[in-house]
Amino acid sequence: MRSFALILVFGLSACTQFPELDGAVTAHGSDANYPDLVPIEPILAQAASGPSADQTTDQLSSRVAALKARASRLRGRVVDTSSRDRMRTGVPRG
């Protein structure tokens, strides 16, 4: 009985409508030119001339230090004590 159900499920799934792919490409896309082929050597040279691992590590270390310093400055109290006391008393009714 299980094998019949399994065959039935697979058989029905094979009858599904295949999506229309011809309408997925716009007229502008179908008329577009192929991309230009370029030599790979300039691309590799540009990648090799990027920052070294030491420069990247130094930049990241300095950024980490700056972010930690900023975080420690933000950990302080937002509202000073005198302002907090005034807020606790509320607005005087007149």
Side-chain angles (χ1 to χ4, degrees), residues 20-89:
E20 292 293 328
L21 298 178
D22 293 335
V25 177
T26 63
H28 178 67
S30 64
D31 293 338
N33 294 331
Y34 287 103
D36 294 331
L37 295 178
V38 296
I40 196 167
E41 287 80 16
I43 298 170
L44 293 176
Q46 182 181 5
S49 68
S52 68
D54 292 336
Q55 289 173 334
T56 305
T57 303
D58 292 342
Q59 289 172 351
L60 286 176
S61 297
S62 64
R63 180 161 179 180
V64 166
L67 288 173
K68 284 183 178 180
R70 182 177 179 200
S72 68
R73 287 192 308 269
L74 292 173
R75 282 193 189 102
R77 289 187 169 219
V78 176
V79 180
D80 60 28
T81 306
S82 64
S83 297
R84 182 173 287 142
D85 292 340
R86 265 188 317 137
M87 287 190 290
R88 283 189 183 141
T89 60

Side-chain angles (χ1 to χ4, degrees), residues 5-21:
L6 189 63
I7 291 171
L8 182 65
V9 168
F10 284 127
L12 289 176
S13 66
C15 295
T16 61
Q17 179 80 20
F18 191 76
E20 292 293 328
L21 298 178

